[in-house]
């Protein structure tokens, strides 16, 4: 399985200047290709290479040819992504980069872990750059069976090398167990195994950071802007730490070989409406994609897999009888089924529906639910008091 190790480089002064110049020239190559591709409406990588390669080599003679090709590949990816968003009706602009990370491959870098250096291609030739490693990264390096690509990133004046490595995959036999996970804002995560993860103080800390940031923005002094820059990184680190803790606890609560089922939340900000500025602010600050990424790689290391399902009606459906009605959810935390009278936490009910939906999609209906999707019927046309509670159906 693939992992990314973050290493801090410790170059000498001459090496640092050479690497910074390499980043500058590759960024200029990227922008030149995106300019040409955007103006000519070209997104084919072979065509862009044929039309721009020789001109870029003449313009940047000291930049290694492999890095010129790497910048063209990055530009092609950016152009295709922009055109795909444009076809979906989204408002996009031409891709531009200010400080593009260098993407190295087997032709442009070589790891020498025993010597404590990485040999990187640059405008000054191959540089043997030393690095430092944390205990966590050292444990991963000891398991490495192969090195893949690497990205050289300049962040806050420091050079980092993000190395993609291959480590052994745990030998775990998959099982039929599926654990549904409902991700939310009020309760960060609830599983179908009746487990609630996350701490209430996380929301209080987020609110305190927001109030402090708003106060500093209103002040507007030089000192306030300097404080805002430090605070931005602090908030990002806090959210990343919360997502790491949350994903680790979810994975540890599941037996190896099981399937962790989550909701596919892409474009949720466009698909849902939030009432009030606080709700909109919390929705746009929700790092659900980062949490899912952490969950996927931790689950793979634990011997599990993560799948995503369509989130429609998971909050409206009764996990016991299958009745779907938007009025089943009385409040944010209370679910009362209008068909069978089941009453439980709304997030827990949604987590059970998430697991059921995955099992039904693979032909294994969970015990205690309908094996077919029920029609969505408006409650105003039915009098539930005159109908008997729905019973579980099991059939072939």
């Amino acid at each position: 399985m693939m992992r990314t190790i973050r290493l801090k480089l410790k170059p000498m002064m001459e090496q640092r200047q050479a690497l910074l110049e390499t980043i500058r020239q590759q960024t200029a190559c990227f922008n030149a290709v995106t300019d040409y591709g955007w103006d000519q409406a070209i997104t084919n990588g072979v065509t862009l290479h044929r039309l721009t390669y020789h001109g870029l080599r003449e313009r940047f003679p000291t930049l290694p040819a492999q890095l010129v090709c790497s910048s063209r590949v990055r530009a092609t990816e950016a152009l295709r992504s922009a055109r795909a968003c444009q076809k979906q009706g989204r408002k996009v602009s031409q891709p531009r980069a200010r400080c593009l990370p260098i993407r190295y491959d087997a032709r442009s870098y070589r790891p020498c872990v025993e010597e404590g250096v990485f040999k990187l291609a640059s405008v000054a030739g191959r540089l043997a750059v030393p690095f430092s490693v944390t205990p966590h990264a050292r444990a991963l390096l000891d398991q490495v069976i192969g090195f893949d690509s690497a990205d050289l990133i300049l962040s806050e004046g420091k050079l980092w090398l993000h190395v993609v490595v291959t480590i052994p995959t745990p030998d775990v036999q998959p099982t039929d167990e599926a654990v549904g996970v409902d991700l939310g804002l009020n309760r960060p995560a609830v599983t179908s195994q009746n487990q609630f993860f996350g701490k209430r103080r996380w929301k209080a800390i987020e609110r305190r950071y927001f109030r402090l940031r708003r106060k500093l923005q209103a002040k507007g002094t030089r000192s306030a802007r300097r404080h805002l820059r430090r605070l931005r990184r602090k908030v990002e680190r806090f959210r990343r730490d919360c997502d790491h803790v949350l994903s680790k606890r979810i994975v540890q609560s599941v037996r190896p070989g099981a399937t962790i089922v989550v909701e596919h939340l892409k474009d949720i900000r466009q698909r849902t409406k939030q009432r009030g500025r606080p709700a909109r602010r919390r929705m746009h600050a929700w790092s659900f994609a980062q949490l899912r990424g952490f969950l996927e790689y931790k689950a793979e290391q634990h011997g599990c897999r993560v799948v995503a399902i369509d989130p429609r009606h998971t909050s409206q459906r009764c996990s016991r009888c299958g009745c779907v009605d938007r009025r089943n959810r009385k409040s944010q935390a209370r679910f009362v089924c209008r068909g069978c009278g089941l009453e439980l936490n709304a997030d827990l009910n949604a987590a059970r529906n998430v697991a059921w939906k995955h099992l039904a999609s693979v032909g294994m209906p969970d015990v205690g639910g309908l094996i077919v999707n029920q029609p969505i019927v408006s409650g105003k046309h039915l009098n539930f008091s005159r109908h008997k509670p729905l019973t579980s159906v099991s059939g072939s």
Side-chain angles (χ1 to χ4, degrees):
M1 56 186 178
M2 313 292 286
R3 288 291 177 271
T4 301
I5 303 178
R6 187 169 181 255
L7 304 174
K8 184 178 180 180
L9 297 182
K10 293 185 174 181
M12 294 182 291
M13 183 60 66
E14 297 80 4
Q15 293 177 334
R16 177 181 173 84
Q17 295 299 328
L19 291 175
L20 292 179
E21 178 62 20
T22 307
I23 293 176
R24 187 194 68 80
Q25 292 191 19
Q26 177 166 277
T27 303
C29 284
F30 173 88
N31 291 330
V33 177
T34 54
D35 289 342
Y36 188 88
W38 187 265
D39 294 338
Q40 303 297 324
I42 301 175
T43 58
N44 183 274
V46 177
T47 304
L48 286 173
H49 176 80
R50 179 171 53 85
L51 295 175
T52 62
Y53 175 75
H54 295 289
L56 293 175
R57 289 290 290 154
E58 293 177 0
R59 182 179 172 186
F60 304 102
T62 59
L63 187 65
Q66 189 58 31
L67 297 187
V68 174
C69 295
S70 175
S71 63
R72 190 264 308 161
V73 172
R74 299 286 292 272
T76 304
E77 294 172 353
L79 288 170
R80 287 180 177 176
S81 178
R83 293 301 182 187
C85 293
Q86 198 174 44
K87 289 181 180 180
Q88 296 175 359
R90 301 182 182 181
K91 185 178 179 180
V92 295
S93 59
Q94 177 187 335
R96 298 286 297 178
R98 294 182 179 178
C99 184
L100 184 72
I102 300 177
R103 179 181 295 174
Y104 289 106
D105 58 15
R107 300 181 185 89
S108 52
Y109 95 110
R110 186 161 68 91
C112 300
V113 180
E114 296 80 6
E115 302 175 15
V117 298
F118 274 86
K119 296 185 178 180
L120 309 175
S122 71
V123 294
R126 291 270 175 159
L127 302 177
V129 183
F131 65 92
S132 62
V133 59
T134 62
H136 175 72
R138 173 59 64 184
L140 285 177
L141 283 175
D142 294 339
Q143 306 176 43
V144 169
I145 59 177
F147 286 88
D148 295 275
S149 62
D151 285 352
L152 178 64
I153 299 175
L154 176 65
S155 177
E156 297 182 349
K158 299 178 182 178
L159 290 170
W160 300 85
L161 192 66
H162 293 196
V163 186
V164 180
V165 299
T166 303
I167 62 177
T169 303
D171 186 13
V172 178
Q173 294 297 325
T175 64
D176 295 335
E177 181 183 5
V179 178
V181 181
D182 179 70
L183 305 178
L185 294 172
N186 290 290
R187 291 188 179 273
V190 180
T191 69
S192 57
Q193 297 177 328
N194 303 345
Q195 293 179 308
F196 295 75
F197 296 101
K199 299 182 179 180
R200 293 184 180 275
R201 66 179 180 87
W202 290 353
K203 291 169 57 179
I205 294 174
E206 288 274 4
R207 287 194 297 268
R208 187 172 73 246
Y209 281 144
F210 170 72
R211 289 194 294 266
L212 177 58
R213 188 163 54 241
R214 183 172 57 183
K215 182 179 179 180
L216 292 172
Q217 289 172 346
K219 194 171 184 179
T221 61
R222 188 174 181 179
S223 175
R225 290 194 297 269
R226 189 165 55 248
H227 193 177
L228 277 170
R229 286 193 294 269
R230 293 195 301 267
L231 185 63
R232 177 173 61 89
R233 296 298 182 186
K234 190 173 183 179
V235 172
E236 290 178 359
R237 290 194 299 269
F238 172 74
R239 288 175 179 166
R240 190 183 303 115
D241 179 69
C242 292
D243 289 339
H244 272 301
V245 171
L246 196 60
S247 57
K248 183 177 180 180
R249 290 179 180 175
I250 292 173
V251 170
Q252 289 177 343
S253 68
V254 179
R255 289 193 292 266
T259 301
I260 301 175
V261 190
V262 298
E263 296 173 311
H264 186 63
L265 299 177
K266 184 178 180 180
D267 297 330
I268 189 174
R269 297 184 179 95
Q270 290 76 28
R271 291 187 282 106
T272 60
K273 295 182 180 180
Q274 300 85 39
R275 297 181 179 178
R277 293 177 62 182
R280 290 194 296 269
R281 171 172 52 82
R282 292 185 59 200
M283 174 62 73
H284 285 273
W286 187 19
S287 56
F288 58 86
Q290 176 178 259
L291 175 58
R292 179 177 169 182
F294 291 167
L295 191 62
E296 286 176 346
Y297 88 81
K298 293 178 191 294
E300 185 182 14
Q301 191 171 1
H302 192 63
C304 303
R305 68 188 185 104
V306 177
V307 298
I309 55 96
D310 189 347
R312 285 179 291 185
H313 310 309
T314 53
S315 297
Q316 301 175 11
R317 179 186 180 274
C318 176
S319 58
R320 184 167 69 182
C321 70
C323 172
V324 179
D325 193 312
R326 65 182 58 189
R327 293 176 295 176
N328 284 343
R329 189 160 185 171
K330 299 297 183 181
S331 64
Q332 194 282 326
R334 184 166 173 253
F335 182 92
V336 181
C337 178
R338 296 174 65 85
C340 66
L342 174 67
E343 182 174 356
L344 77 165
N345 181 271
D347 294 329
L348 176 59
N349 177 77
R352 293 178 181 178
N353 284 329
V354 169
W356 171 87
K357 207 165 189 179
H358 167 69
L359 292 173
S361 67
V362 297
M364 294 186 299
D366 194 10
V367 178
L370 298 180
I371 61 173
V372 295
N373 293 330
Q374 299 301 298
I376 304 174
V377 182
S378 176
K380 65 181 180 180
H381 299 299
L382 296 176
N383 184 356
F384 287 95
S385 62
R386 296 181 181 179
H387 289 74
K388 296 180 179 180
L390 297 175
T391 57
S392 300
V393 178
S394 60
S396 57

